[in-house]
Amino acid sequence: MKFMKLGSRPDIFYTKDSVRSVSSEVSSDLIIQVKGTRYLLHKFPLLSKCLHLQRLCLESLDSGNHQIVQLPDFPGGEEAFELCAKFCYGITITLSAYNIVSTRCAAEYLQMTEDAEKGNLIYKLEVFFNSCILRGWKDSVVTLQTTKALSLWSEELSITNRCIEAICSKVLKRVRNEDDISCSGTESLRDKSVRKGWWGEDLAELKIDLYWRIMIALKSDGKMPLNLIGDALKIYASRWLPKTGSDSDSRSEIASKYSLLLESIVNLLPAAKGVVSCSFLLKLLKVANDLKVFSSLKIELVKRVGLQFEEVTVNDLIMVCDVDLVMNILEEFMLQISQSPPTSPQRSRFAFERRRSRSAENVDFELQESRRSSSVSHSSKLKVAKLVDKYLQEVAKDVNLPLDKFVAIAETVPEFARCDHDDLYSAIDTYLKAHPELDKTERKRLCRILDCKKLSISSCMHAAQNELLPLRLVVQVLFFEQARAASSGGKVTNISSNIKALLTSYGIDPSKHAAQLSTSTSIHASDNWSVNGLNSPKNTTLRMKLAEDDFDENNDVEINGIGRSSRFKSFCSLPTKPKRMFSKLWSTNRSTTQKN
């Protein structure tokens, strides 16, 4: 860092009885009170360079052999005044980025201008400031930091603005040079990693008001890469935002301290998608939620996260902790996806007609871009669906998670986005284990979001033996697996031995029911199921088992310690005609029913 020395005489200031004096053969004739310190000095060297002291001496009263001058509001305090006084005596002083602001403000207060004497302190400080301080990166940043203590004086003297302009100029110049090096291919990966964030680390030491002005200036330039703005904001947030939540006693104090800071960081974020990672946005959202800041700020962050939700990891969502926030983000993602223009043949033809005056190449290019955008949206939905199911597996362990919230998150994902339901089944199974207090109605509501047709063989085997699942769902799983085996070759022998054993344990003969299930068999969780497949005499066993399940539900029967096979036997005498409620379970096509 740069420094400048002025004067050549040795230091002759000393302290005696809490008074600062000058060792001299000439008696002092001036007493200057600077805040809590008294100085015994001489009029001649001081008044010859300080116009303000000249005027004060004319207005002040003499006290014996000394004239007293009060300087209660002196900028920079005793240290700055003493530097100016030593300059007047010709004593050597050293100036640097750490003290030039306070010295410059003090010299301005004392009016040490060229009108008092040529080559006065203000002139020398300005030369040093412009030729050395503003040309150095570290000097400019440190000087800008010191303006905080004397903000009004620094603004008045344009010290702050000149530092900001110098810093922004250096950042932009450096970034352009680095881009040139990167394009030339002469930069190594190590050099690239070293230079990344070099300016963000230094600027992160600034308070938010000064940092804000620099970032606004960089963004308004229009040539600064937005991803570098995002990187710098990430460094700054890591430096200043609280890492963990605080106790309730100091929460209000911390909220008031950090709310403005968080709001400023969010407002500085470039609007473009992808300039910062979704993980970083979620960290900001967690801080906002912990601090209980303005709802508008959280809404803004939720929208930003929703815009690039496909980048999120399960750990990121778990870090947020608040299930309601995750639900809001998911809804925002689906809303933004739904608002994107779909690609359809009608739309494509309309676009072709509207652009028929253009060249064929341009039309083809625009249509390809539109399709690519649509496919990205679709892939994002698939990825997010997988993410949500993995997230549900984790939060399902929370014994305090209400069923309504679990189901709401699961149902937010479009049905087509789930290629399979294995992860969803795992989440449901985990939730059932963590919430053994759920009654039958609640368990059925939970399992209604599951599509048995989208379960793998291993998941089907697990579900078929899962005592926590409603019996209705278990029977669906068994018959779907039977149908899958039958559709693969049309022979019951293709059904695995485990499935046969399970069907037999439930009193169902696979050889009698395989023919009734075709590839067109469909079982849905909707309320418009038919009962065609159950009217067959061959399905008496199945109808009675469903009657067993509904009997328990309607009469709130709890049979502790009795397995499903025993419970089934106890209800063998039930009528074979299923109730209307049971008719929602099974659906087969009419032709298959007639054929049987």
Side-chain angles (χ1 to χ4, degrees):
M1 298 180 69
K2 303 292 183 181
F3 65 92
M4 177 179 69
K5 287 191 174 184
L6 298 176
S8 57
R9 295 181 62 187
D11 191 354
I12 55 176
F13 275 67
Y14 69 94
T15 302
K16 183 179 181 181
D17 298 331
S18 302
V19 178
R20 293 287 285 168
S21 304
V22 175
S23 178
S24 174
E25 297 178 355
V26 181
S27 300
S28 61
D29 55 359
L30 180 63
I31 298 177
I32 298 180
Q33 186 75 27
V34 181
K35 295 188 176 180
T37 303
R38 174 172 289 194
Y39 290 88
L40 295 180
L41 305 173
H42 303 83
K43 290 182 180 180
F44 174 72
L46 293 175
L47 270 58
S48 63
K49 292 182 175 61
C50 304
L51 294 179
H52 186 55
L53 289 180
Q54 291 179 20
R55 186 172 63 254
L56 290 177
C57 285
L58 293 175
E59 299 172 354
S60 63
L61 299 175
D62 291 340
S63 176
N65 297 328
H66 295 88
Q67 191 164 13
I68 301 176
V69 175
Q70 298 284 344
L71 302 177
D73 56 347
F74 194 86
E78 296 93 333
E79 182 180 353
F81 172 78
E82 196 160 317
L83 283 173
C84 293
K86 288 179 179 180
F87 174 79
C88 295
Y89 280 97
I91 298 173
T92 302
I93 60 174
T94 301
L95 298 167
S96 67
Y98 291 99
N99 62 9
I100 189 173
V101 173
S102 60
T103 307
R104 176 66 180 85
C105 295
E108 186 70 22
Y109 180 92
L110 294 172
Q111 296 179 11
M112 303 176 72
T113 64
E114 296 300 286
D115 295 335
E117 183 179 86
K118 295 296 181 182
N120 211 343
L121 183 56
I122 289 179
Y123 170 77
K124 293 182 181 297
L125 291 173
E126 285 294 325
V127 171
F128 176 60
F129 182 70
N130 292 319
S131 62
C132 296
I133 296 295
L134 294 182
R135 291 190 178 184
W137 169 256
K138 283 284 187 182
D139 295 285
S140 300
V141 174
V142 171
T143 302
L144 182 61
Q145 281 180 296
T146 61
T147 62
K148 187 68 177 176
L150 296 165
S151 57
L152 294 179
W153 282 92
S154 300
E155 294 290 351
E156 183 70 22
L157 299 173
S158 296
I159 298 175
T160 306
N161 283 337
R162 285 185 285 171
C163 286
I164 290 175
E165 290 174 0
I167 290 171
C168 292
S169 176
K170 288 175 177 58
V171 171
L172 292 170
K173 182 178 179 180
R174 180 78 176 267
V175 168
R176 284 193 290 267
N177 291 340
E178 289 171 351
D179 288 341
D180 294 340
I181 294 175
S182 180
C183 292
S184 65
T186 59
E187 182 185 35
S188 65
L189 291 176
R190 181 179 179 276
D191 293 336
K192 186 174 182 179
S193 62
V194 169
R195 71 173 176 83
K196 184 179 180 181
W198 63 270
W199 58 278
E201 294 284 355
D202 292 332
L203 296 185
E205 299 303 317
L206 297 172
K207 296 297 184 179
I208 187 60
D209 53 345
L210 296 175
Y211 185 82
W212 170 276
R213 293 168 65 175
I214 290 177
M215 300 304 288
I216 289 295
L218 290 174
K219 290 175 66 176
S220 61
D221 179 79
K223 299 178 182 178
M224 186 71 181
L226 296 181
N227 64 307
L228 295 184
I229 296 286
D231 291 341
L233 289 171
K234 183 177 180 179
I235 294 171
Y236 192 83
S238 176
R239 167 68 176 82
W240 291 102
L241 288 178
K243 301 296 188 298
T244 57
S246 304
D247 53 43
S248 57
D249 295 337
S250 59
R251 178 162 296 177
S252 59
E253 179 183 349
I254 290 179
S256 61
K257 178 180 178 181
Y258 291 108
S259 293
L260 179 60
L261 172 62
L262 180 61
E263 184 180 11
S264 300
I265 292 174
V266 173
N267 290 334
L268 285 172
L269 288 172
K273 177 183 177 181
V275 295
V276 292
S277 66
C278 206
S279 176
F280 173 61
L281 292 174
L282 282 170
K283 289 178 181 178
L284 294 181
L285 184 58
K286 175 174 172 52
V287 174
N289 195 50
D290 291 342
L291 296 178
K292 301 188 183 303
V293 297
F294 318 109
S295 58
S296 58
L297 186 62
K298 289 197 286 188
I299 291 174
E300 173 66 19
L301 284 170
V302 166
K303 288 182 178 179
R304 287 178 178 271
V305 175
L307 190 64
Q308 51 194 88
F309 192 46
E310 66 274 12
E311 303 172 12
V312 180
T313 65
V314 175
N315 290 334
D316 291 333
L317 292 182
I318 294 174
M319 174 196 67
V320 175
C321 298
D322 195 317
V323 176
D324 291 328
L325 275 182
V326 174
M327 184 68 185
N328 293 338
I329 295 170
L330 183 57
E331 290 175 346
E332 182 63 31
F333 171 78
M334 294 303 171
L335 177 62
Q336 292 177 3
I337 291 296
S338 65
Q339 291 175 347
S340 61
T343 300
S344 63
Q346 292 80 5
R347 178 65 176 264
S348 299
R349 288 196 296 270
F350 174 75
F352 181 81
E353 291 296 331
R354 185 164 57 88
R355 301 179 177 90
R356 59 174 176 258
S357 60
R358 302 181 184 179
S359 64
E361 292 113 357
N362 286 339
V363 172
D364 290 340
F365 175 79
E366 290 181 5
L367 294 181
Q368 290 173 5
E369 287 299 308
S370 176
R371 293 190 184 97
R372 186 178 295 112
S373 175
S374 177
S375 64
V376 169
S377 297
H378 181 71
S379 64
S380 297
K381 286 185 177 182
L382 299 181
K383 187 173 182 180
V384 168
K386 202 73 174 175
L387 168 70
V388 170
D389 290 348
K390 292 290 186 182
Y391 172 72
L392 287 174
Q393 292 179 30
E394 297 297 326
V395 297
K397 304 171 186 176
D398 184 3
V399 296
N400 297 317
L401 179 64
L403 177 63
D404 291 344
K405 291 186 178 181
F406 183 93
V407 173
I409 293 177
E411 289 180 339
T412 304
V413 178
E415 181 61 28
F416 76 88
R418 284 191 174 98
C419 297
D420 64 76
H421 278 216
D422 284 7
D423 289 334
L424 181 59
Y425 167 71
S426 177
I428 291 174
D429 180 53
T430 302
Y431 191 88
L432 288 172
K433 291 176 181 176
H435 301 78
E437 74 283 356
L438 294 180
D439 58 28
K440 277 199 168 185
T441 302
E442 291 172 327
R443 292 205 311 270
K444 287 187 177 183
R445 181 188 174 196
L446 174 64
C447 295
R448 194 175 294 124
I449 61 179
L450 195 66
D451 187 349
C452 299
K453 296 192 296 293
K454 292 188 176 182
L455 291 178
S456 65
I457 295 178
S458 59
S459 294
C460 283
M461 291 299 301
H462 187 280
Q465 303 173 72
N466 193 341
E467 289 289 338
L468 297 175
L469 297 178
L471 181 60
R472 181 188 299 265
L473 181 62
V474 174
V475 175
Q476 288 183 38
V477 170
L478 290 171
F479 270 84
F480 269 126
E481 192 57 33
Q482 185 185 22
R484 183 175 356 200
S487 64
S488 63
K491 296 181 180 179
V492 182
T493 54
N494 291 333
I495 303 177
S496 65
S497 58
N498 289 334
I499 293 293
K500 287 182 179 180
L502 285 170
L503 289 171
T504 303
S505 68
Y506 279 104
I508 301 172
D509 186 354
S511 62
K512 295 182 180 180
H513 295 283
Q516 300 177 29
L517 299 171
S518 66
T519 56
S520 61
T521 302
S522 60
I523 301 178
H524 304 283
S526 61
D527 289 335
N528 58 352
W529 293 346
S530 68
V531 74
N532 294 334
L534 290 175
N535 289 333
S536 171
K538 297 181 180 180
N539 280 333
T540 302
T541 303
L542 174 60
R543 288 190 292 107
M544 284 194 295
K545 290 194 68 60
L546 295 178
E548 168 204 342
D549 187 41
D550 283 317
F551 181 88
D552 284 350
E553 178 184 350
N554 296 336
N555 296 278
D556 196 22
V557 176
E558 292 293 339
I559 307 176
N560 296 326
I562 302 178
R564 282 177 175 165
S565 298
S566 300
R567 288 157 55 192
F568 162 70
K569 292 177 182 178
S570 66
F571 292 107
C572 284
S573 59
L574 286 174
T576 58
K577 183 178 180 180
K579 300 179 182 179
R580 189 166 62 108
M581 180 183 300
F582 314 150
S583 67
K584 298 181 179 180
L585 179 64
W586 202 262
S587 173
T588 57
N589 58 44
R590 184 176 299 274
S591 60
T592 305
T593 304
Q594 293 172 352
K595 188 179 298 183
N596 291 329

